[in-house]
C-alpha cells in the first residue's frame, strides 16, 4: 500500500471520509483541503445505477460549465475548404484532413484535448477510431463535436465545455474547475453537471440512478456527497 503523504494525511483528518455531505459542505471541504503548491483540479465522480453495455442505458453528453474548467483546451478540427477557414478564424489550434489523420497514425501525435469534425470528414476520422476511441477523443454528434457549426462548437469548447460519458464501471468522471475558483464557483459548476446528468437519465434505468457522488482534488482525499439530496 502506498505511503500516505503528510499533506494528504492532514487533509484526511479534517473530516469524516465515510460521511455523506450536503453540496455546500462538500464544496467547502474540497476547496479547504486542496493545499498543494499548484492550483489543483477539482473533479466529480458519479457512479450510476445503469449498465452502459446496453445501448438504451448509455449516458453521454456535454455541457458548458458556468465558470469553465480553468484549463485552456487545444482543439483539432477535421475540415476542408470554407469550413477549414471557418475553424481557423474561430480559434482552432489545428485544422486539417488526411494530413492530420496521417500525423496521428504515423507520428503518434496527440498535442490536442478535443477533436471536432464536420460530418463529411467522418470517413477520414472513422479510420482513427481504434486510436482516438480509447482516449475518449472520438468526435460524436451527441457531444456537439460532429457539426457544421464550427464557430459555435469552438466557442463552447474554449468557454469551458466538458463532455461526460460512462466508463466501463458505469462511472462519469469530469473536471468542475480549479481550487482557486473558490467554493461558490465550484458549487455552481457541480450543480450544472449534476443537473445535466439527471436530464440525461435513460428511460431504461431502474432503481436508484445516482449510486454515489464523490468530489476530489488532484492531491487531496475524496469528499462524498449525499446522492439522495440531488433531486434525481
Amino acid at each position: 500500500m502506498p505511503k500516505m503523504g503528510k499533506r494528504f494525511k492532514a487533509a484526511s483528518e479534517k473530516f469524516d471520509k465515510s460521511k455523506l455531505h450536503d453540496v455546500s459542505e462538500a464544496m467547502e471541504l474540497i476547496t479547504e483541503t486542496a493545499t498543494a503548491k499548484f492550483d489543483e483540479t477539482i473533479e466529480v465522480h458519479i457512479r450510476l445505477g445503469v449498465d452502459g453495455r446496453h445501448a438504451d442505458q448509455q449516458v453521454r453528453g456535454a455541457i458548458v460549465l458556468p465558470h469553465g474548467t480553468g484549463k485552456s483546451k487545444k482543439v483539432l478540427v477535421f475540415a476542408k475548404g470554407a469550413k477549414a477557414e471557418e475553424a481557423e478564424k474561430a480559434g482552432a489550434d489545428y485544422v486539417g484532413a488526411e494530413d492530420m489523420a496521417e500525423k496521428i497514425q504515423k507520428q503518434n501525435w496527440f498535442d490536442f484535448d478535443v477533436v471536432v469534425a464536420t460530418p463529411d470528414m467522418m470517413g477520414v476520422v472513422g479510420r482513427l477510431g481504434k486510436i482516438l476511441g480509447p482516449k475518449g477523443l472520438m468526435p460524436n454528434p451527441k457531444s456537439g463535436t460532429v457539426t457544421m457549426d464550427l464557430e459555435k462548437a469552438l466557442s463552447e469548447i474554449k468557454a469551458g465545455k466538458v463532455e461526460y460519458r460512462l466508463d466501463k464501471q458505469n462511472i462519469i468522471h469530469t473536471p468542475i474547475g480549479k481550487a482557486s475558483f473558490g467554493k461558490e464557483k465550484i458549487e455552481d459548476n457541480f450543480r450544472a453537471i449534476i443537473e445535466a446528468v439527471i436530464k440525461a437519465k435513460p428511460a431504461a434505468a431502474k432503481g436508484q440512478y445516482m449510486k454515489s457522488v464523490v468530489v476530489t482534488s488532484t492531491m487531496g482525499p475524496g469528499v462524498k456527497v449525499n446522492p439522495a439530496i440531488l433531486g434525481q
Side-chain angles (χ1 to χ4, degrees), residues 27-80:
M27 300 309 128
E28 195 165 328
L29 284 169
I30 204 67
T31 49
E32 275 182 8
T33 54
T35 57
K37 292 179 181 177
F38 62 93
D39 195 5
E40 295 184 51
T41 296
I42 308 298
E43 293 186 343
V44 61
H45 309 273
I46 309 163
R47 185 165 65 90
L48 298 178
V50 296
D51 187 346
R53 292 174 297 178
H54 301 291
D56 63 351
Q57 294 188 48
Q58 265 296 329
V59 179
R60 181 173 187 170
I63 180 175
V64 178
L65 296 176
H67 305 289
T69 63
K71 181 189 176 186
S72 177
K73 290 185 176 180
K74 288 186 180 179
V75 185
L76 163 62
V77 176
F78 282 90
K80 285 184 174 180

Side-chain angles (χ1 to χ4, degrees), residues 10-31:
S12 297
E13 289 172 352
K14 286 188 176 182
F15 65 96
D16 180 356
K17 294 195 295 299
S18 65
K19 181 184 174 185
L20 296 176
H21 301 272
D22 65 35
V23 176
S24 185
E25 190 177 32
M27 300 309 128
E28 195 165 328
L29 284 169
I30 204 67
T31 49

Side-chain angles (χ1 to χ4, degrees), residues 130-141:
K130 289 183 178 178
I131 302 171
L132 298 178
K135 294 179 179 290
L137 292 169
M138 196 67 184
N140 185 286

Side-chain angles (χ1 to χ4, degrees), residues 209-226:
Y209 182 48
M210 288 192 182
K211 295 282 191 180
S212 67
V213 178
V214 180
V215 185
T216 63
S217 60
T218 307
M219 303 295 288
V223 179
K224 295 177 181 178
V225 180
N226 184 358

Side-chain angles (χ1 to χ4, degrees), residues 53-140:
R53 292 174 297 178
H54 301 291
D56 63 351
Q57 294 188 48
Q58 265 296 329
V59 179
R60 181 173 187 170
I63 180 175
V64 178
L65 296 176
H67 305 289
T69 63
K71 181 189 176 186
S72 177
K73 290 185 176 180
K74 288 186 180 179
V75 185
L76 163 62
V77 176
F78 282 90
K80 285 184 174 180
K83 283 294 166 184
E85 291 177 18
E86 180 187 329
E88 287 172 357
K89 287 178 183 176
D93 297 276
Y94 308 102
V95 182
E98 287 84 355
D99 56 330
M100 288 297 178
E102 191 174 324
K103 190 173 181 180
I104 291 168
Q105 287 174 314
K106 294 186 176 178
Q107 299 178 28
N108 199 33
W109 175 70
F110 287 103
D111 186 29
F112 50 87
D113 306 296
V114 183
V115 180
V116 176
T118 52
D120 59 299
M121 291 303 300
M122 286 309 291
V124 173
V125 180
R127 298 198 291 269
L128 302 171
K130 289 183 178 178
I131 302 171
L132 298 178
K135 294 179 179 290
L137 292 169
M138 196 67 184
N140 185 286

